[in-house]
Structure formats: structure tokens, C-alpha cells
Amino acid sequence: MKVVTKTDIKEYPLLNRGKVRDIYEIDDRTLLIVTTDRMSAFDVIMDQPVPFKGVVLNQMTLFWMRKFENIIPNHVLESDVDRFPQELAPYRDELDGRAILARKAKPLPVECIVRGYITGSGFKDYLATGKICGISLPKGLVEAKKLDAPIFTPSTKAELGMHDENIDMSKAEALLGDDVAEKTRLIALDLYEKGAAHALEKGVIVADTKFELGFIDGSLHLIDEVLTPDSSRFWSAASYSPGKPQPSFDKQYLRDWLKKQPWNMEPPPPTLPPDVINATASRYREAYEMLTGRTIN
């Protein structure tokens, strides 16, 4: 494997270069999705990559998608690089472990966020209003407190460099339609509850996470990334103690470092020192190994 910050595949058109993923069109029904080692925080791409982070994200997503196939189908067609089209053979070292062939989907215009614990922007909203995305919560909750039941708190999807906006269920229904919004809510909660139960058995708390769903041939599919350190907050169950921020196995470590820098959360970002890069990379690997029982070589 090699560190990959940007791909340049001449044989197929590049459809999108996002914060982390490069997406190419293989044909009118198939995409090549490459998860790079680019690192983003606060919707800004850092100048330095986190080595092999893309492999961790891709392999963890594949793990969860297989586990959730009985709940909802997913968009993955192939993950074995040796079974990719022959035109991609020259790029094997770049794609190995970090790329998939996927069916094209029409993504829903909302992020499907589920919170099982109160933290992050949700805790800030709660302190200000007593609610998260219009959902009233009991008084007196402290940071990192487990909620009585997980809640679905959708957000809009922002363009690259912009920030997502939390919305309530009525706005989600306006964007999706009542039936799709309710089906989406139930699927997201089911995915979270089953994923969080598995994680807890492995010593990891899933505080919150973000799913993405899309339509393929008229039915909802699970797409993009699933329960990764980029899309979730992972805490150690062994050291969990509500009332304060929790040690994490995700990008929160990097966010906390960035918040201490003289930076306004707009490009250009601060230069990441080697120790911060290495500490972030080790947290990603640890999360993968704990949750899947596998290692990334």
C-alpha cells in the first residue's frame, strides 16, 4: 500500500473530488470511489495527509455494510482490486484496499445523523435551547450523557468548504417527503442501534454517527461511508465518564488540537505537526482493529 492524497486516473472521467474521496465514472451505472488519505476537519481539507487513513475508512465501511445487508442493501459491486476493469491495472497500488466499484445512486439531500449520547454541536444546542433539532430533552443533562433512547437529528448537505446545518424533522419531511423521511429515520436508528451494540461488545461506545442513503432503481440503499472515525464519535467504554469530554478513537483529537491554534476554521489550515498526524493515524487504526478484530498491514 502507498499513501494516496490525490488520484489521476486518465482512463475514466473524474466526476468529483471531495474532501476525502475521488469519484470516477466507469459507465452510466457504475462508479469508482477512491478513499484517499486526505484529512478534513471543520469542512476544511488539511495540507498534510494521515497515512493509510483512507484504507481504514474503506475497510471499516465494507465491514459494516456486510453486517447491515439484512437491514438495507448497499451500493458496493466490487472491492477486490484484482477484479476491477483491466484499464485500472496500472493504478493497482493506489487503489488496493481503498477503492470500490459501486452502483450509481441518487443521494438523499440530508445527512442521516443519529445521536445516542449528548455531545458536540448537539450539546451546544441543548444548552442554548433544551433541544436538539427540535427534539426536547430532559433538563440537567451533562456532556457525554447517554440519552434515554437514540435520536434522529438530520442535517442539510453543504457544498465543499461550507458547513452542514442541523434541521428538524419537519424540514427533513419537506425535503424528502413524509414517507421517505420516516423510512429514513427508522433505518438510521436501526443501523445505529445494531452498530452501537456490536461496538459496545468490543469496548467502543458510538456516541453519534452519520449515515448516507440514496435511491438505486427506486429503492433506498446505504451508500458512502458507514460508522467510521470520520463519520462517528468513538469513545472507550472502559474510560467512559459523563460530565466531560471523552477520549476518542476518531478525528476529535485533531479537532481539539486545531481549536487550540490561532485559526478561524477557514482555509488555509494550520500545518499539522508529525506527532499530531501520527496520533490521529494511530486512533483510526485502533478503532478499526477494536471494531473488526482485523489489522491493516
Side-chain angles (χ1 to χ4, degrees):
M1 291 189 300
K2 60 187 294 187
V3 176
V4 176
T5 57
K6 181 180 179 182
T7 59
D8 185 18
I9 296 173
K10 304 294 188 183
E11 288 76 4
Y12 296 102
L14 177 70
L15 294 185
N16 183 59
R17 198 184 305 280
K19 288 178 283 189
V20 176
R21 288 163 184 80
D22 293 349
I23 302 176
Y24 296 84
E25 183 179 60
I26 300 299
D27 57 42
D28 61 357
R29 292 179 60 85
T30 311
L31 301 174
L32 171 70
I33 303 176
V34 187
T35 308
T36 73
D37 297 322
R38 294 194 295 269
M39 188 73 195
S40 72
F42 304 110
D43 297 308
V44 176
I45 299 172
M46 302 292 107
D47 291 334
Q48 295 78 35
V50 173
F52 311 117
K53 170 205 162 205
V55 176
V56 170
L57 297 184
N58 188 53
Q59 294 301 313
M60 189 174 288
T61 292
L62 289 169
F63 170 82
W64 289 114
M65 282 187 167
R66 294 184 190 109
K67 185 173 283 292
F68 293 149
E69 283 177 333
N70 63 328
I71 299 174
I72 182 173
N74 61 69
H75 67 162
V76 178
L77 291 170
E78 185 57 72
S79 59
D80 184 346
V81 69
D82 292 324
R83 296 179 181 177
F84 285 7
Q86 186 60 35
E87 290 83 355
L88 294 172
Y91 307 96
R92 187 188 189 286
D93 288 348
E94 288 181 78
L95 302 179
D96 189 23
R98 66 170 72 248
I100 61 168
L101 297 179
R103 286 170 289 184
K104 284 186 179 179
K106 182 180 180 181
L108 298 184
V110 300
E111 301 282 10
C112 304
I113 298 170
V114 180
R115 303 172 192 268
Y117 295 72
I118 186 165
T119 189
S121 64
F123 184 55
K124 291 180 182 178
D125 291 347
Y126 167 77
L127 290 178
T129 67
K131 302 177 181 179
I132 302 179
C133 293
I135 300 172
S136 296
L137 296 173
K139 294 181 179 180
L141 295 182
V142 297
E143 183 170 4
K145 175 72 173 176
K146 184 179 182 181
L147 300 173
D148 291 338
I151 57 175
F152 177 65
T153 59
S155 75
T156 60
K157 287 182 180 177
E159 297 296 324
L160 185 62
M162 304 298 287
H163 299 291
D164 295 343
E165 178 187 350
N166 292 338
I167 59 175
D168 60 23
M169 193 62 183
S170 65
K171 290 184 179 178
E173 290 169 347
L175 289 168
L176 302 175
D178 292 0
D179 290 346
V180 173
E182 178 61 10
K183 187 173 183 179
T184 297
R185 184 184 73 86
L186 293 175
I187 290 172
L189 287 170
D190 196 10
L191 293 173
Y192 173 83
E193 289 173 349
K194 288 183 170 57
H198 169 87
L200 195 57
E201 291 177 357
K202 305 299 182 179
V204 177
I205 290 171
V206 182
D208 54 36
T209 195
K210 175 178 66 177
F211 301 108
E212 185 162 355
L213 306 183
F215 279 103
I216 299 175
D217 296 331
S219 65
L220 281 173
H221 282 61
L222 187 58
I223 63 175
D224 198 46
E225 64 182 316
V226 183
L227 284 166
T228 73
D230 262 17
S231 65
S232 315
R233 284 187 176 88
F234 294 143
W235 299 337
S236 168
S239 62
Y240 171 66
S241 178
K244 60 184 179 182
Q246 306 296 304
S248 63
F249 303 114
D250 52 57
K251 70 163 68 172
Q252 192 59 46
Y253 167 82
L254 176 62
R255 291 192 193 103
D256 291 343
W257 182 85
L258 288 168
K259 287 178 182 178
K260 296 175 183 177
Q261 310 309 306
W263 182 46
N264 64 355
M265 310 302 173
E266 301 290 339
T271 298
L272 303 181
D275 63 315
V276 171
I277 293 172
N278 292 336
T280 301
S282 69
R283 282 165 169 78
Y284 274 57
R285 282 177 177 261
E286 187 174 4
Y288 175 79
E289 291 170 3
M290 290 182 70
L291 289 169
T292 69
R294 305 169 186 169
T295 58
I296 298 272
N297 297 319

